[in-house]
Amino acid sequence: MAEAAAQDLLLAAAFVSDAQYNRNIPFRTSPEAVRLYHLYNHWMMRTATYFFIFLNLSLALFEEPAVYPLPFLATSVLEVLCLLVFLGRLTHFAKVTLHNVFWKDAKNICIMGAILLSLTDLGIYGVLRLYGVRSIRWSRFMRPIFLINFAESRQIRRALRSIRNTLPEITYVFLLFMFSLLMFSLMALKLFGERNLQTAEGLPYFRNYLEIVFDLYVLVTTANSPDVMMPAFDFSSWYALFFIAFVIVNTYIFMSLFLAVVYNNYKKHLKNEIRKLAYMKRRKMIEAFNLLKEEEGEQFVVREARWKQLVKLVAPDTSNSHRELLLRISDDEQKGFVDKKSFVQLADLLNIQVVTLKIRRHPLARWAPALYGSTPSRLLRGLVRHRAFVWTFDAIILINAVFIALDEDSISYAEWVFLALYVIEILLKVYTYEPREFFGKTQFWNWFDTLIIFAALTATILNATLQSTMRYNSQQILDIVFILRVLRLIRIVDSIQRFQVIMNTLINIVPTMLTFGGLTLVVYCVFAIIGMEAFHGKIQYFPANSNAPHALECGNPALKDSLFARGKYCKNNFNNFASSFIVLMELTVVNQWHVFANGFANVTGQPAKLYFIAFHIVMVIIIVNIFVSFILEAFFVEYSLEKSEVETAIEQKIQELGMGVQEDELQHEQLLDNMESAEHELEGDGGAKAQSKGLVFKIASKRYRTVDALLQRMFEAEIPLEDEGLSFEEILNLSPSSAVPRSPSSESAA
């Protein structure tokens, strides 16, 4: 009986953990499989998986053509090691998931196929290398498959699904755009083709239809404006009307239409994904409740002791005090059990970051109470806490900014004055506020401020010492000092409320932005490897004083008198993985991308332009627009939350119970009633409001700051409590047009 209860508890913990982290893996429920599933989701296993994924991707830096060459045997051993780790991870996944689900899952088939093809390609390449035959490592562009398809990368897969689901609508707009482009190109051929016009480089102007299509496509991106128009404009001012009409139709209307279509479809499919997550989370919490429930009168409940064991399994790092706080929220009336409604909210409760603050007296209040509690000391601390103190140092920072901009030798000594003022500010704050709280883990600006100031002070003293003793100015140290001086200005951001809103929004969306960083990494890796195979060695970089043949033409006479060579873009090549990434980054920015396309087309062939056009379509038109859509949605949510103070009932309850607790009176893991509001100021100096020993609980953020969390909360609000949810298979098959089900499932159906 006890063993069965322990197994039910472990299974319930797996369901709650999945609900907490929005995992939708249909795992087997046997005791051995559940234990393996907990191991599969352990943070060390996930970290190791990501390490080997990025190690596998980074091998391109050491393989031919290499940034840092390593022997073929070394890179081969590392690649085989990575593939073995991936195979082991996949085998582990197969042990915990249902067999029919595993073999129907395209992700697993892709991983197995990529492993097999990579080993085959590696073997063939190694054998041919032994015989001195150069071949292509065609499997390298498949390496991002491992980043996409492992279960840990579900956010990247969601973004890819959004792109896939948006493609049909984008295709229709793109076809209309191409029709417009081809029509304007045909008009340009007829208007300018027979007028014997020439470009600034002396080349024929608009006489080849395919070149016209490419030039006008570049004009859509504005990269060659107004250069492409000037020969026609010089011939007749009326021809400017053609280019104005083209830009209005294709750049402003069609490109805006692309963004509108992407944004509309992104929102629709994002809501569908979030709706699936909401139903999946509800379903898993119901499954966990059914495993632990006991009958209490006319309802089923989870006993307090059982609830504590569950939370300890799901969140082992949670302190006893924090756990008791969560229990008080779930069991508001302290009946000794948690009902179904409160239990299904446990995943949300665990996701709300609660900061536990210990109430401490200032060390000086203990060591020198008479001095620290004296009237002058209290007056000084009152001044430091006053808003005018912050305004004063903000003004000093602005004055310092003027001195930095002037940067005259005659006022260089003023830097010492500013450094002294900043050091005094830090010391006054440490004197006023309890040091361990002032330098707490969540006090980002305090850490930033202190590190910048003392780093600048150290660098300035070091440079002054070198100058006085050795008559030598270290340029590296001076560069560091100048950068630190400018970084000090960032402190202004923390003092202006509207700046804080924007900065907090940016900080809060960074984790989700990493998804698009992963997506960009996938696209860059694929195009970088293709680019290296297609263009490696075609363009070379030579130092400015080089006497090598064709050094001015980037080592290739085909680039003579080209914009690429005249612009000295020789270092922008595909000769190694790092250079390829830099080129792709420059192509993403769009400016001058046509110069790159024409340059590589000159040294290979005109079809090479298709590579650059394909990258622009995939990266700029699709992925960047998806990214912009996400940023728009995130800012809409953030600003609506800042203005309307939207808070869930759970968060409000945590605010009500975010209280200080006497540590000495915390016995048998029970919270006593002599509590104090967390909103009270933690002076830590023995004042009336502070307790000598104790804790204060408060939520780290009063709002759900991500788009996903807000939408998920919205959909969960639409699900009645008595609705036990759809089956896992029905949830996964929800379509974007599916209506929200209203008919509750019965207990027996579950």
Side-chain angles (χ1 to χ4, degrees):
M1 187 69 177
E3 184 179 353
Q7 292 173 0
D8 287 343
L9 184 65
L10 195 64
L11 179 56
F15 282 131
V16 174
S17 181
D18 279 2
Q20 181 185 359
Y21 296 108
N22 286 323
R23 291 190 290 259
N24 56 2
I25 300 173
F27 61 91
R28 292 188 290 140
T29 56
S30 65
E32 181 184 359
V34 172
R35 284 191 290 272
L36 285 173
Y37 186 62
H38 278 284
L39 177 62
Y40 182 86
N41 291 317
H42 195 277
W43 69 268
M44 291 185 66
M45 299 291 286
R46 297 198 307 271
T47 302
T49 302
Y50 276 121
F51 172 78
F52 282 101
I53 287 173
F54 286 106
L55 175 61
N56 191 44
L57 290 174
S58 66
L59 287 177
L61 294 170
F62 310 102
E63 298 170 329
E64 294 181 359
V67 182
Y68 308 104
L70 284 179
F72 172 71
L73 181 61
T75 58
S76 300
V77 169
L78 287 174
E79 183 171 4
V80 171
L81 176 62
C82 292
L83 295 176
L84 290 176
V85 170
F86 299 152
L87 184 61
R89 185 68 169 165
L90 191 64
T91 304
H92 190 169
F93 185 73
K95 291 286 186 180
V96 301
T97 193
L98 303 172
H99 290 301
N100 59 330
V101 174
F102 178 85
W103 291 107
K104 289 180 181 178
D105 195 336
K107 301 191 301 292
N108 305 325
I109 305 302
C110 285
I111 293 173
M112 286 188 289
I115 292 173
L116 180 61
L117 291 174
S118 297
L119 289 173
T120 303
D121 178 40
L122 183 62
I124 294 173
Y125 183 85
V127 171
L128 293 176
R129 184 185 175 89
L130 289 175
Y131 289 96
V133 179
R134 186 184 182 279
S135 62
I136 296 175
R137 283 296 312 277
W138 48 265
S139 68
R140 293 198 299 175
F141 79 92
M142 300 171 61
R143 288 174 180 171
I145 287 177
F146 301 113
L147 177 61
I148 297 170
N149 286 289
F150 272 113
E152 291 80 2
S153 303
R154 57 185 179 276
Q155 296 289 349
I156 296 178
R157 287 196 300 277
R158 264 181 51 192
L160 285 171
R161 281 198 299 270
S162 295
I163 293 174
R164 183 190 64 196
N165 294 327
T166 306
L167 278 179
E169 295 294 333
I170 293 180
T171 301
Y172 291 123
V173 179
F174 186 75
L175 290 175
L176 282 175
F177 164 71
M178 288 304 300
F179 176 76
S180 171
L181 179 65
L182 294 174
M183 290 293 293
F184 272 98
S185 300
L186 188 59
M187 285 189 283
L189 179 64
K190 296 303 180 183
L191 282 172
F192 312 120
E194 298 178 359
R195 300 191 183 277
N196 295 321
L197 301 179
Q198 291 183 334
T199 65
E201 294 78 31
L203 301 175
Y205 180 73
F206 278 14
R207 297 182 195 176
N208 181 286
Y209 183 67
L210 292 180
E211 290 183 0
I212 294 173
V213 172
F214 177 75
D215 287 337
L216 290 184
Y217 182 85
V218 174
L219 180 59
V220 173
T221 69
T222 71
N224 61 352
S225 177
D227 297 355
V228 72
M229 180 185 75
M230 294 312 298
F233 187 49
D234 290 340
F235 184 80
S236 173
S237 298
W238 290 103
Y239 285 140
L241 296 175
F242 170 83
F243 293 95
I244 292 171
F246 177 84
V247 168
I248 291 173
V249 171
N250 294 280
T251 301
Y252 292 111
I253 295 179
F254 271 106
M255 290 301 107
S256 300
L257 195 58
F258 271 120
L259 177 59
V261 169
V262 168
Y263 179 57
N264 182 60
N265 283 273
Y266 168 78
K267 283 184 64 176
K268 180 174 67 176
H269 294 294
L270 172 66
K271 289 181 178 180
N272 181 50
E273 294 279 352
I274 297 300
R275 182 172 55 184
K276 289 180 181 180
L277 291 178
Y279 274 108
M280 185 68 74
K281 182 165 75 171
R282 171 62 65 89
R283 180 67 191 178
K284 286 181 179 290
M285 292 306 299
I286 292 295
E287 292 283 350
F289 179 82
N290 289 338
L291 285 167
L292 305 179
K293 68 183 180 182
E294 298 179 22
E295 193 169 358
E296 176 70 25
E298 296 181 355
Q299 63 176 338
F300 287 101
V301 299
V302 176
R303 298 292 177 191
E304 180 181 310
R306 199 81 160 142
W307 186 94
K308 288 182 181 179
Q309 291 174 333
L310 175 67
V311 174
K312 197 167 186 178
L313 271 177
V314 176
D317 296 331
T318 303
S319 66
N320 291 336
S321 302
H322 185 185
R323 197 156 46 244
E324 289 298 327
L325 179 64
L326 299 183
L327 179 59
R328 282 290 296 272
I329 297 167
S330 300
D331 181 15
D332 190 23
E333 299 179 5
Q334 301 184 55
K335 297 177 180 178
F337 57 79
V338 177
D339 60 19
K340 183 178 179 180
K341 179 180 179 181
S342 298
F343 186 88
V344 296
Q345 295 173 337
L346 177 58
D348 289 325
L349 207 57
L350 292 171
N351 275 329
I352 298 175
Q353 185 182 359
V354 178
V355 178
T356 305
L357 300 175
K358 289 186 178 181
I359 302 175
R360 302 185 180 98
R361 298 180 65 195
H362 197 286
L364 290 176
R366 297 195 303 270
W367 300 336
L371 174 63
Y372 197 72
S374 64
T375 301
S377 176
R378 290 201 302 271
L379 178 61
L380 178 61
R381 285 181 278 128
L383 288 174
V384 174
R385 290 194 182 94
H386 198 276
R387 187 64 184 169
F389 182 82
V390 177
W391 293 340
T392 300
F393 275 90
D394 286 347
I396 291 173
I397 293 172
L398 292 176
I399 295 171
N400 191 194
V402 175
F403 278 74
I404 292 173
L406 294 175
D407 200 23
E408 298 289 342
D409 292 337
S410 59
I411 59 175
S412 60
Y413 292 104
E415 180 63 20
W416 289 100
V417 176
F418 288 112
L419 279 173
L421 288 173
Y422 295 143
V423 171
I424 291 171
E425 179 197 13
I426 294 296
L427 294 176
L428 286 174
K429 287 182 176 179
V430 173
Y431 177 80
T432 301
Y433 303 105
E434 205 282 324
R436 285 172 292 184
E437 296 297 340
F438 184 77
F439 292 112
K441 290 188 292 186
T442 59
Q443 301 299 323
F444 169 78
W445 289 109
N446 293 342
W447 278 103
F448 176 83
D449 207 12
T450 305
L451 291 174
I452 289 294
I453 290 169
F454 281 97
L457 180 63
T458 303
T460 304
I461 292 173
L462 181 60
N463 187 66
T465 303
L466 289 174
Q467 189 176 13
S468 61
T469 58
M470 303 175 61
R471 305 294 179 185
Y472 168 73
N473 274 327
S474 171
Q475 187 59 47
Q476 288 79 8
I477 295 177
L478 286 174
D479 291 342
I480 293 171
V481 171
F482 293 147
I483 291 172
L484 292 173
R485 287 168 65 187
V486 174
L487 285 177
R488 251 182 262 149
L489 303 178
I490 299 177
R491 295 174 56 202
I492 292 291
V493 173
D494 191 42
S495 302
I496 301 176
Q497 181 63 31
R498 296 313 298 173
F499 284 179
Q500 287 181 359
V501 173
I502 297 172
M503 288 298 295
N504 288 339
T505 302
L506 292 174
I507 291 170
N508 287 321
I509 65 177
V510 162
T512 314
M513 286 171 62
L514 293 177
T515 298
F516 294 93
L519 196 59
T520 301
L521 178 64
V522 169
V523 175
Y524 273 33
C525 283
V526 172
F527 274 90
I529 291 170
I530 294 173
M532 285 191 296
E533 297 295 349
F535 307 119
H536 172 251
K538 302 294 183 182
I539 292 174
Q540 300 291 335
Y541 169 73
F542 298 94
N545 57 354
S546 174
N547 295 320
H550 305 296
L552 296 178
E553 294 86 29
C554 306
N556 197 315
L559 291 175
K560 186 177 182 180
D561 296 328
S562 67
L563 285 175
F564 191 95
R566 290 209 302 269
K568 297 183 178 180
Y569 292 155
C570 304
K571 210 167 186 177
N572 297 296
N573 53 57
F574 289 90
N575 292 345
N576 58 59
F577 200 57
S579 296
S580 302
F581 260 62
I582 293 172
V583 172
L584 295 176
M585 182 64 208
E586 292 168 334
L587 294 176
T588 304
V589 176
V590 173
N591 193 36
Q592 295 291 79
W593 74 275
H594 63 294
V595 176
F596 290 13
N598 285 322
F600 283 98
N602 288 342
V603 299
T604 52
Q606 291 305 308
K609 292 178 180 178
L610 295 175
Y611 170 88
F612 297 90
I613 294 174
F615 180 80
H616 181 268
I617 292 171
V618 172
M619 192 66 215
V620 179
I621 292 182
I622 298 178
I623 293 181
V624 170
N625 276 329
I626 287 279
F627 180 71
V628 170
S629 300
F630 165 74
I631 296 295
L632 287 173
E633 191 71 5
F635 265 86
F636 290 155
V637 171
E638 287 292 331
Y639 271 89
S640 66
L641 289 172
E642 284 289 340
K643 293 175 182 178
S644 61
E645 296 291 333
V646 177
E647 295 180 333
T648 66
I650 297 175
E651 289 175 315
Q652 292 171 351
K653 192 66 176 176
I654 286 182
Q655 285 180 296
E656 294 169 10
L657 295 177
M659 301 170 179
V661 188
Q662 288 291 72
E663 194 70 45
D664 294 339
E665 297 174 355
L666 187 62
Q667 299 172 358
H668 306 298
E669 297 186 343
Q670 296 296 320
L671 290 176
L672 303 183
D673 291 330
N674 53 341
M675 296 181 175
E676 180 182 36
S677 170
E679 297 299 323
H680 289 179
E681 187 173 272
L682 302 181
E683 297 186 4
D685 57 359
K689 291 181 179 179
Q691 298 174 346
S692 60
K693 294 180 181 179
L695 301 173
V696 164
F697 300 98
K698 65 176 183 178
I699 59 174
S701 174
K702 295 182 179 180
R703 304 165 182 89
Y704 282 92
R705 294 202 178 267
T706 64
V707 179
D708 292 10
L710 177 70
L711 293 176
Q712 189 167 326
R713 178 67 62 185
M714 289 165 52
F715 285 118
E716 285 175 347
E718 298 175 359
I719 307 174
L721 176 64
E722 63 273 12
D723 187 352
E724 298 230 337
L726 307 173
S727 68
F728 291 132
E729 185 176 354
E730 290 172 324
I731 293 169
L732 293 174
N733 290 330
L734 280 174
S735 66
S737 58
S738 299
V740 177
R742 292 293 183 186
S743 57
S745 304
S746 64
E747 288 267 340
S748 60

